[in-house]
């Protein structure tokens, strides 16, 4: 007999998304484990399998002798329809177990526009979508990841959030829930106990009240088990932190189909729009020896042909040249190439450029973010035009012909001059290429200029700022397109303003956004991160149905004294510091890289955590 | 090294290029003396006898793996199997000289098997199969790289047998490649469905063997092709 799932696979696009059996995924039988964890990635297989965090936690949970972790991804629309029509519940890749048969269902929150997928996955997986409707027999639904730093729009669907680095807290959560399961404790008791773990936020144990103008009036625990302030968790030492020496190797092509070697966590730059830069403080490097050991093990267990050095700012890694050299030497017999993904233009990269080209030439990415020095100072992007052009020249002389330039529009204090500066910079990039003698440069220049829309993010100095209205964004995009069309050799990419608008609503949203999310999902919204599935009109209807004005979230400048929905979380960096940084931004005053001296961001309060501010 | 391998049931939805990459990575996981191509993008140049259609299980697929120097056949099989997932395993390795003909040029046909799941539609398809074997011509739509065309698929099929089982039918055919190429199991099943006037049947297709013609004109298993 051919199973029902097998029959569905005959009918859908890319069936290999659902078949599992990849190398390094033959984990223990689910029936043998005391407790089971479904690691849910709320996007398609190709996106999910490109995510390093999932591979780390998958490895950590499966290393626990009593637990098993299996992967669950968001099916594509054709598969979803087929599953619903045939009554097949959402299942795990490893053992094809239905989602509601797991003890713990864990989501990673990477992107606001995947929130509807969480509701859809719970629903198709047979788990009550609303946390309040779950019973003792239903799984405990947990979530973590960068977007958990403002958990409120998801408070109605997630039983418990984990704040910060997941490596340690996930083990404590699984451990505790395993204990609860043995004791057959009721759900409410399990949640109360979870709230006692540092870094865990159980939203049902808190109450929010609002002022007449819609702003938050108060936010407090309703249960003594819940802490007033939820403290983010930190991995102290990256060398001793758990890291997989074997990771799943997909059969089908995924977005990032390579080994991601996390060389460090955190960034010292302090760009004021960047949430990751604030959330992942302090900088914690892995040692050269540890990285070499990891790289060798991973190449041996995966056979991957490419390694990327992954971090927020790989160019800042203190032993970058030595690392590249040693990796090259060790891995060239296996013809493994090395790529540096988030290359910073002000890093000492020339040496590493010479190294990477030995094996393979890929496109180089630079992120000046803003078009003028004034605005780059406002956002504290400590690079100058001269820097950028010098690095571009190095790259073109080194034989690169393809560069990507990333900008943001709608940044606080932006003027017409700043937009024109973007076009000017693109133009000078092209001129730099032509300034390299013909014989020395590679043929076929390609400059890609991308301009995304500024989205205010919690825990950044710009968390109080308004996003440009969609009309303003569209006007600016038209203008920039006009300016760039005059520059030969440049391709311009821009983002759909309505998507950025929705991102802002969720990024800085409060508990009432949960109603909008639920309504939008009821109206059929899902896979919103994919253009062909994003229906802005349905979102507007959801806002209208809930009587909520989206501009209140996206386009409103917040008062510095306003109680923000995420103020109860301590991520390490203090609100005082964010305010200081915001004030400096408005005066176009830069703040030094914290490797040059401690700026007192708040991390120093945690003894021994930051090696730089000791 | 000529390698005979099984692409199992769990892997039948993996396309040819994905399979190629999977085997290249598996080879990189071993310490076998693999030969990499020269140039800017050094890689392992595998050559397959005949790409398998997506959805078909391959029981004895054949590929040529370039190696440097010599390697014991048994060691090669053992080491590569350690690096491969359980649903993709080597059955046999055979060292051949460098001037061994390209596998693709040797392929003359294949033995395929279609396991049809029982039911009303299956009964009709089984009857249609007997009719199919008794006619000289069966023209059906066949999609190829160069587009769609109407092809008489009957000449592809030889030595066919139909076997009724408690839970369905097994259809076994020897496919003899024609100048137009080979015949995919899916095209055969589609033609049978058209003859039976049913929309579709549930089935799993297998390629049991890839065939070559030996100097005397006989069809033999490709991996047994003797090179003189």
């Amino acid at each position: 007999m051919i199973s029902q799932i097998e029959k569905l696979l005959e009918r859908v696009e890319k069936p290999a998304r659902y078949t599992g059996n990849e190398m390094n995924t033959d984990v223990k039988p689910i029936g043998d484990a005391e407790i089971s964890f479904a690691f849910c990635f709320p996007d398609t297989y190709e996106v999910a399998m490109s995510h390093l965090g999932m591979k780390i936690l998958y490895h950590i949970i499966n290393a626990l002798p009593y637990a098993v972790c299996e992967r669950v991804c968001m099916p594509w629309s054709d598969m979803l329809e087929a599953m619903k029509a045939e009554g097949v519940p959402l299942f795990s890749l490893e053992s094809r177990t239905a989602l509601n048969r797991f003890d713990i269902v864990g989501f990673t929150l990477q992107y606001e526009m995947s929130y509807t997928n969480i509701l859809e996955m719970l629903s198709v997986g047979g788990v009550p979508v609303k946390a309040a409707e779950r019973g003792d027999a239903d799984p405990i639904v947990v979530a973590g990841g960068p977007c958990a730093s403002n958990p409120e729009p998801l408070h109605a669907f997630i039983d418990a959030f984990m704040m910060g680095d997941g490596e340690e807290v996930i083990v404590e959560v699984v451990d505790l829930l395993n204990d609860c399961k043995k004791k057959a404790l009721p759900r409410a008791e399990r949640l109360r106990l979870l709230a006692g773990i540092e870094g865990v936020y159980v939203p049902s144990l808190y109450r929010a009240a609002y002022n007449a103008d819609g702003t938050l009036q108060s936010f407090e625990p309703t249960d003594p088990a819940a802490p007033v302030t939820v403290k983010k968790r930190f991995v102290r030492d990256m060398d001793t932190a758990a890291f997989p020496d074997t990771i799943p190797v997909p059969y089908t092509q995924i977005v990032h189909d390579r080994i991601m070697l996390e060389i460090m966590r955190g960034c010292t730059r302090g760009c004021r729009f960047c949430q990751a830069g604030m959330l992942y403080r302090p900088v914690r490097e892995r040692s050269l020896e540890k990285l070499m050991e990891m790289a060798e093990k991973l190449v041996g267990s995966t056979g991957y042909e490419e390694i990327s050095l992954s971090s927020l700012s790989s160019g800042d890694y203190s032993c970058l040249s030595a690392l590249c050299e040693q990796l090259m030497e060790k891995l060239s017999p296996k013809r493994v190439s090395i790529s540096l993904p988030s290359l910073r233009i002000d890093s000492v990269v020339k040496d590493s450029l010479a190294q990477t080209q030995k094996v393979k030439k890929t496109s180089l990415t630079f992120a000046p973010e803003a078009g003028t020095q004034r605005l780059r100072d406002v956002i504290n992007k400590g690079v100058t035009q001269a820097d950028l052009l010098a690095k571009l020249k190095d790259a073109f002389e080194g034989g690169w012909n393809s560069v990507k330039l990333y900008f943001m529009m709608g940044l606080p204090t932006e003027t017409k001059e700043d937009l024109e500066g973007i076009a000017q910079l693109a133009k000078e990039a092209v001129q730099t290429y032509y300034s390299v003698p013909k014989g020395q440069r590679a043929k076929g220049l390609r400059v890609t200029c991308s301009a995304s829309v500024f989205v205010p993010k919690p825990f950044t100095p710009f968390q109080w700022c308004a996003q440009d209205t969609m009309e303003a964004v569209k006007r600016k995009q038209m203008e920039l397109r006009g300016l760039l069309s005059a520059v030969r050799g440049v391709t311009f990419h821009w983002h759909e303003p309505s998507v950025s608008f929705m991102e802002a609503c969720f990024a800085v949203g409060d508990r009432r956004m949960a109603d909008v999310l639920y309504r939008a999902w009821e109206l059929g919204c899902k896979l919103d991160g994919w253009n062909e599935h994003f229906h802005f009109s349905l979102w507007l209807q959801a806002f209208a149905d809930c009587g909520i004005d989206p501009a209140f979230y996206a386009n409103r400048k917040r008062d510095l004294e306003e109680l923000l929905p995420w103020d109860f979380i301590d991520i390490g960096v203090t609100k005082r510091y964010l305010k200081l940084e915001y004030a400096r931004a408005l005066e176009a005053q830069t703040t030094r890289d914290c490797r040059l001296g401690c700026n007192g961001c708040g991390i120093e309060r945690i003894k021994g955590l930051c090696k730089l501010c000791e | 090294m000529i390698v005979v391998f099984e692409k199992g049931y769990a892997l039948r939805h993996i396309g040819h290029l994905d399979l190629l990459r999977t085997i290249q990575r598996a080879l990189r996981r071993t310490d076998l003396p693999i030969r990499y191509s020269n140039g800017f993008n050094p890689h392992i140049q595998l050559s397959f006898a005949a790409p398998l259609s997506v959805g078909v299980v391959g029981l004895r697929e054949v590929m040529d793996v370039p190696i440097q120097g010599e390697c014991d056949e048994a060691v090669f099989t053992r080491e590569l199997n350690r690096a491969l997932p359980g649903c993709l395993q080597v059955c046999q390795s055979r060292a051949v000289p460098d001037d061994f003909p390209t596998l693709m040029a040797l392929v003359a046909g294949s033995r395929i098997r279609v396991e049809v799941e029982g039911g009303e539609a299956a009964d009709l398809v089984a009857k249609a199969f007997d009719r199919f074997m008794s006619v000289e011509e069966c023209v059906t739509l066949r999609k190829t790289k160069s587009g769609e065309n109407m092809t008489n698929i009957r000449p592809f099929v030889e030595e066919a047998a139909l076997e009724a089982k408690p839970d369905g039918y097994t259809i076994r055919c020897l496919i003899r490649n024609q100048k137009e190429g080979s015949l995919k199991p899916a095209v055969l099943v589609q033609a049978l469905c058209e003859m039976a006037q049913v929309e579709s049947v549930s089935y799993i297709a297998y390629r049991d063997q890839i065939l070559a013609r030996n100097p005397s004109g006989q069809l033999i298993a490709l991996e047994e092709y003797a090179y003189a």
Side-chain angles (χ1 to χ4, degrees), chain A residues 1-2 6-7 9-10 15-16 19 21 23 249-253 257 300-305 333-335 359, chain B residues 9-14 18 21-22 25 28-31 36 40 42 82-85 87 117 167 202-204:
Chain A
M1 278 296 284
I2 306 167
E6 294 294 340
K7 283 182 190 168
L9 294 179
E10 303 292 334
T19 49
N21 280 299
M23 196 68 198
V249 185
Y251 296 109
T252 62
Q253 208 129 39
D257 203 7
S301 68
T302 64
Y304 265 122
E305 55 287 321
K334 294 266 183 191
R335 310 299 196 278
V359 175
Chain B
Y9 182 79
L11 277 197
R12 69 191 193 286
H13 294 297
I14 305 301
D18 290 338
R21 201 171 37 242
T22 297
R25 286 177 182 163
R28 210 183 265 103
R29 287 193 285 268
T30 70
D31 288 319
Y36 290 86
F40 280 114
R82 270 193 200 157
L84 283 166
C87 41
E117 193 176 66
D167 57 348
S202 288
Y203 69 95
I204 302 290

Side-chain angles (χ1 to χ4, degrees), chain B residues 14 19 43-44 47 66 71 73 80 82 113 121 127 133 135 138 144 169 188 200 211 216:
Chain B
I14 305 301
L19 179 71
H43 60 285
I44 307 167
S47 59
C71 182
E73 293 167 348
L80 186 50
R82 270 193 200 157
R113 174 162 52 92
K127 287 206 184 82
M133 291 312 295
V135 296
C138 174
T144 63
Y169 297 91
L188 175 64
S200 64
L211 303 173
S216 58

Side-chain angles (χ1 to χ4, degrees), chain A residues 405-603:
Chain A
L405 299 175
Y406 284 172
F407 294 98
M408 233 183 270
M409 53 170 63
L411 284 164
T413 78
E414 183 188 67
T415 63
K416 194 169 169 7
E417 206 180 32
D418 299 308
L419 277 188
E420 289 165 358
I422 295 178
Q424 185 58 31
L425 206 52
K427 199 172 177 178
E428 284 175 40
V430 173
Q431 283 166 354
T432 304
Y433 170 79
Y434 286 109
S435 76
V436 177
K438 230 179 179 167
Q440 206 181 334
R441 66 187 192 223
K443 272 185 216 157
L445 171 71
R446 273 184 316 187
V447 176
T448 310
C449 189
S450 292
S452 60
V453 182
F454 165 71
V455 177
K457 297 272 187 172
F459 297 109
T460 66
F462 292 160
Q463 65 180 355
W464 294 278
C465 298
Q467 185 179 52
D468 271 349
T469 62
M470 284 185 284
E471 291 66 39
V473 171
K474 278 178 200 157
R475 219 170 35 239
K476 289 178 180 179
Q477 286 177 335
M478 286 297 283
E479 198 182 324
L480 193 52
R481 198 164 59 160
L483 290 169
L484 282 169
S485 66
V487 190
R488 243 188 74 213
V490 177
T491 322
F492 179 44
H493 290 300
W494 66 92
H495 287 227
E496 185 50 52
S498 53
V499 176
S500 307
F501 179 73
M502 286 309 308
E503 285 170 18
C505 289
F506 280 114
V508 292
D510 55 28
R511 291 196 160 195
R512 290 165 300 184
M513 277 303 291
D515 299 334
V516 177
L517 176 59
Y518 189 80
R519 181 66 189 135
W521 171 70
E522 276 184 330
L523 291 169
C525 288
K526 54 177 176 282
L527 294 163
D528 296 283
W530 300 82
N531 270 335
E532 62 267 52
H533 285 290
F534 178 69
H535 302 296
F536 189 48
S537 57
L538 292 180
W539 281 100
L540 289 179
Q541 191 190 329
F543 277 110
D545 290 352
C546 298
I548 287 171
D549 175 16
F552 174 81
Y553 298 109
N555 308 125
R556 183 173 65 93
K557 190 175 168 206
R558 285 152 182 79
D559 191 275
L560 282 174
E561 298 317 309
E562 185 178 325
L563 179 63
L564 301 172
W566 51 90
D567 276 349
F568 71 97
I569 302 165
D570 180 359
I571 63 137
V573 175
T574 55
K575 195 172 183 182
R576 188 195 62 79
Y577 182 73
L578 296 177
K579 279 184 187 169
L580 180 70
E581 278 292 284
Y582 185 33
R584 284 181 184 153
L586 295 179
E587 285 165 19
Q589 241 183 60
T590 57
T591 297
R592 65 184 170 189
D593 185 314
C594 54
R595 280 171 302 180
L596 302 174
C598 179
N599 294 311
C601 69
I603 294 288

Side-chain angles (χ1 to χ4, degrees), chain B:
Chain B
M1 187 74 77
I2 304 291
V3 176
V4 184
F5 65 96
E6 175 180 340
K7 184 188 174 198
Y9 182 79
L11 277 197
R12 69 191 193 286
H13 294 297
I14 305 301
H16 182 64
L17 288 177
D18 290 338
L19 179 71
L20 178 80
R21 201 171 37 242
T22 297
I23 294 173
Q24 285 169 334
R25 286 177 182 163
L27 286 163
R28 210 183 265 103
R29 287 193 285 268
T30 70
D31 288 319
L32 291 168
I34 303 305
R35 194 172 74 232
Y36 290 86
S37 68
N38 294 320
F40 280 114
N41 180 21
H43 60 285
I44 307 167
Q45 244 159 359
L46 300 177
S47 59
F48 288 79
L52 190 60
S53 325
V54 173
V56 181
V57 181
L59 293 188
R60 289 186 77 81
E61 295 298 297
V62 188
M63 66 175 169
D64 192 349
V65 180
I67 59 168
Q68 206 149 28
E70 286 187 7
C71 182
D72 182 76
E73 293 167 348
V75 170
F76 195 90
T77 301
R78 188 187 68 219
E79 290 305 305
L80 186 50
N81 275 342
R82 270 193 200 157
L84 283 166
C87 41
L88 181 63
Q89 287 282 297
V90 175
C91 323
Q92 185 188 333
S93 303
R94 184 183 155 202
V96 293
D98 281 345
D99 61 344
F100 193 80
T102 44
L103 292 174
M104 210 171 245
L106 295 177
V107 176
S110 59
R111 286 186 195 281
I112 65 164
R113 174 162 52 92
V114 180
E115 302 284 359
V116 184
E117 193 176 66
E120 236 169 84
D123 296 339
L124 292 170
V125 163
K127 287 206 184 82
F129 182 74
D130 287 334
R131 273 208 309 286
F132 175 85
M133 291 312 295
S134 66
V135 296
E136 296 279 298
E137 193 181 81
C138 174
V139 176
T140 192
L141 189 69
R142 186 167 159 271
K143 286 179 197 164
T144 63
K145 267 186 210 151
S146 47
E148 295 181 355
N149 47 41
M150 298 304 287
T151 312
N152 175 18
I153 62 165
R154 184 59 191 83
F156 287 89
V157 182
E158 278 178 29
E159 289 181 29
L162 175 86
E163 182 191 328
K165 298 183 301 181
D167 57 348
Y169 297 91
T170 301
I171 297 171
R172 285 175 217 273
C173 304
L174 188 155
I175 302 292
R176 190 184 279 273
N177 289 3
Q178 305 292 307
K179 63 179 190 304
E180 300 96 327
S182 182
L183 178 67
K184 290 180 181 173
V187 176
L188 175 64
V189 174
Q190 187 52 42
L192 294 175
C193 284
E194 278 165 23
M195 286 177 75
Q197 292 182 324
V198 299
E199 208 179 305
S200 64
V201 284
S202 288
Y203 69 95
I204 302 290
Y206 295 81
R207 178 155 79 184
D208 290 336
Q209 205 163 52
I210 301 176
L211 303 173
R213 195 190 317 275
N214 74 4
S216 58
Q218 266 178 314
L219 288 176
I220 53 159
L222 173 60
E223 62 270 23
E224 278 156 26
Y225 181 85
Y227 174 63

Side-chain angles (χ1 to χ4, degrees), chain A residues 75-276:
Chain A
W76 191 243
S77 50
D78 58 347
M79 183 66 169
L80 275 174
E81 269 165 45
M83 288 167 73
K84 287 192 217 171
E86 304 291 329
V88 172
L90 182 63
F91 55 88
S92 62
L93 287 172
E94 280 79 2
S95 65
R96 295 189 172 175
T97 302
L99 191 61
N100 62 359
R101 304 282 303 278
F102 283 86
D103 298 308
I104 311 171
V105 167
F107 284 94
T108 176
L109 310 176
Q110 299 294 320
Y111 181 39
E112 294 85 359
M113 298 317 287
S114 63
Y115 286 179
T116 46
N117 296 347
I118 296 174
L119 276 58
E120 181 77 3
M121 286 171 77
L122 288 171
S123 168
V124 180
V127 180
V129 173
K130 289 189 174 168
E133 288 165 12
R134 286 178 205 135
D136 286 346
D138 291 313
I140 299 281
V141 180
V142 299
C147 290
S149 60
N150 177 20
E152 292 301 79
L154 290 170
H155 83 282
F157 317 106
I158 305 293
D159 295 312
F161 292 90
M162 290 169 273
M163 304 294 173
D165 298 324
E167 281 96 336
E168 288 161 17
V169 67
I170 198 120
V171 176
E172 292 167 30
V173 165
V174 173
D175 229 17
L176 179 97
L177 288 175
N178 191 33
D179 210 41
C180 292
K181 187 185 176 185
K182 282 183 193 154
K183 293 180 184 150
L185 294 181
R187 184 177 196 83
E189 189 52 27
R190 294 181 198 207
L191 294 181
R192 291 184 78 247
L193 288 169
L194 273 178
I197 296 179
E198 184 164 297
V200 173
Y201 164 53
V202 177
S204 57
L205 304 182
Y206 295 77
R207 184 175 48 216
Y210 300 91
N211 295 308
D213 65 0
T215 56
L216 194 59
Q217 186 184 57
S218 65
F219 184 86
E220 56 210 15
T222 55
D223 190 300
V228 175
T229 303
V230 177
K231 280 190 188 162
K232 191 194 111 168
R233 296 292 294 265
F234 296 91
V235 160
R236 282 179 178 263
D237 181 357
M238 290 298 282
D239 276 2
T240 52
F243 192 86
D245 45 23
T246 139
I247 54 173
V249 185
Y251 296 109
T252 62
Q253 208 129 39
I254 57 170
V255 185
H256 299 295
D257 203 7
R258 56 187 75 92
I259 293 170
M260 274 174 281
L261 197 62
E262 190 189 19
I263 58 177
M264 60 181 178
R265 204 168 286 179
C267 176
T268 55
R269 301 275 169 165
C271 298
R272 292 177 179 133
F273 56 86
C274 178
Q275 190 187 37

